[in-house]
């Protein structure tokens, strides 16, 4: 994503006083003014290129940040759905456990009746066999729900890891965005400074050319 930023070596600018102009020939003064103007233009061009690079990187960071935020919302929605599924299984477990307890309670009550109602022993035993079959069926369903719950719990942990990774990426992108914005401000300042220097050198050049024409 990052693009490299290169700066050309800048020639130190020399500001000439009136005394300095008097000590140099007209030709030397003109050459130095032209050199300063060209150096200023070169520096301005380099900083403008670097500013474009920084702004391009900021756009890429914004796109990446938007994509990661979309992933964050998707993971959060999946996590919510997973939680609802776990809650639903928990409710079913409670209901099945209530049915199992109910059947076991009835079996115990019927065992008490065997002693009192010998004539109904055969029927009660038949009922017991049916209820035991029900218990086995409920226990089988309970076992299936337990395995299914393990799968959902495992998926919940996976989603949590994904969510943590997305949050980490968002923090990294926010930090990178802040860094590039700081560089953007710096380069804008340099562009402004060198634009002023170009204008100043242009004025000096124009003034010197005017003086040369008068002479």
């Amino acid at each position: 994503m990052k693009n490299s930023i290169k700066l050309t070596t800048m020639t130190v600018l020399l500001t000439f006083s009136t005394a300095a102009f008097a000590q140099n020939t007209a030709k030397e003064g003109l050459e130095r003014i032209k050199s300063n103007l060209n150096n200023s233009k070169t520096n301005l061009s380099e900083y403008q290129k670097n500013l474009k690079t920084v702004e391009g990187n900021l756009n890429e960071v914004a796109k990446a940040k938007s994509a990661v935020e979309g992933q964050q919302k998707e993971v959060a929605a999946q996590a919510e759905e997973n939680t609802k599924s776990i809650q639903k299984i928990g409710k079913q477990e409670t209901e099945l456990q209530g049915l199992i307890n109910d059947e076991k309670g009835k079996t115990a009550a019927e065992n008490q009746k065997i002693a009192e109602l010998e004539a109904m022993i055969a029927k009660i035993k038949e009922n017991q066999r049916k209820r035991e079959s029900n218990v086995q069926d409920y226990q089988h369903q309970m076992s299936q729900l337990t395995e299914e719950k393990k799968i959902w719990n495992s998926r919940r942990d996976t989603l949590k890891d994904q969510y943590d990774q997305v949050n980490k990426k968002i923090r990294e992108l926010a930090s990178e965005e802040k860094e590039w914005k700081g560089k953007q401000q710096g380069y804008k300042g340099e562009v402004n400074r060198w634009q002023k220097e170009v204008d100043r050198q242009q004025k000096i050049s124009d003034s010197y050319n005017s003086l040369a024409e008068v002479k």
Side-chain angles (χ1 to χ4, degrees), residues 134-207:
N134 289 339
V135 169
Q136 291 177 357
D137 181 62
Y138 294 144
Q139 287 176 335
H140 177 68
Q141 293 181 47
M142 177 71 79
S143 177
Q144 289 179 327
L145 286 174
T146 299
E147 293 301 317
E148 186 177 353
K149 184 178 181 180
K150 289 179 180 178
I151 294 173
W152 284 108
N153 283 334
S154 176
R155 187 168 183 264
R156 175 196 59 194
D157 295 337
T158 300
L159 289 171
K160 183 180 182 301
D161 291 339
Q162 291 177 357
Y163 190 82
D164 292 340
Q165 291 174 5
V166 168
N167 279 340
K168 180 181 178 182
K169 186 63 177 178
I170 287 176
R171 288 193 297 270
E172 292 173 352
L173 288 171
S175 176
E176 185 175 350
E177 181 182 34
K178 182 179 179 181
E179 178 183 350
W180 282 111
K181 283 185 176 179
K183 290 183 179 181
Q184 180 187 40
Q185 292 301 317
Y187 285 122
K188 282 183 177 179
E190 288 298 322
V191 167
N192 184 56
R193 181 167 74 88
W194 285 108
Q195 183 63 64
K196 290 179 179 178
E197 184 63 23
V198 168
D199 294 340
R200 189 175 74 84
Q201 295 297 332
Q202 185 66 58
K203 287 180 179 179
I204 293 173
S205 177
D206 293 343
S207 297

Side-chain angles (χ1 to χ4, degrees), residues 1 37 47 59 67 77 84 112 114 119 129 157 204 210:
M1 178 186 298
L37 177 58
Y47 279 108
N59 288 334
K84 289 180 180 179
Q112 293 178 358
I114 290 174
R129 285 192 293 272
D157 295 337
I204 293 173
S210 296

Side-chain angles (χ1 to χ4, degrees), residues 3-8 10 43-55 57-58 179-195:
N3 294 320
S4 61
I5 295 175
K6 297 181 179 178
L7 296 178
T8 58
M10 294 179 287
N43 290 332
L44 173 61
S45 177
E46 288 299 323
Y47 279 108
Q48 285 174 334
K49 289 178 182 178
N50 292 336
L51 177 59
K52 288 182 180 180
T53 298
V54 170
E55 290 175 344
N57 287 337
L58 283 172
E179 178 183 350
W180 282 111
K181 283 185 176 179
K183 290 183 179 181
Q184 180 187 40
Q185 292 301 317
Y187 285 122
K188 282 183 177 179
E190 288 298 322
V191 167
N192 184 56
R193 181 167 74 88
W194 285 108
Q195 183 63 64

Side-chain angles (χ1 to χ4, degrees), residues 110-125:
E110 288 163 354
N111 282 333
Q112 293 178 358
K113 290 182 180 180
I114 290 174
E116 301 172 359
L117 303 171
E118 291 292 334
M120 298 180 67
I121 290 177
K123 183 179 180 180
I124 291 173
K125 287 185 176 182

Side-chain angles (χ1 to χ4, degrees), residues 5-19:
I5 295 175
K6 297 181 179 178
L7 296 178
T8 58
T9 303
M10 294 179 287
T11 303
V12 177
L13 298 178
L14 299 176
T15 303
F16 298 97
S17 64
T18 303

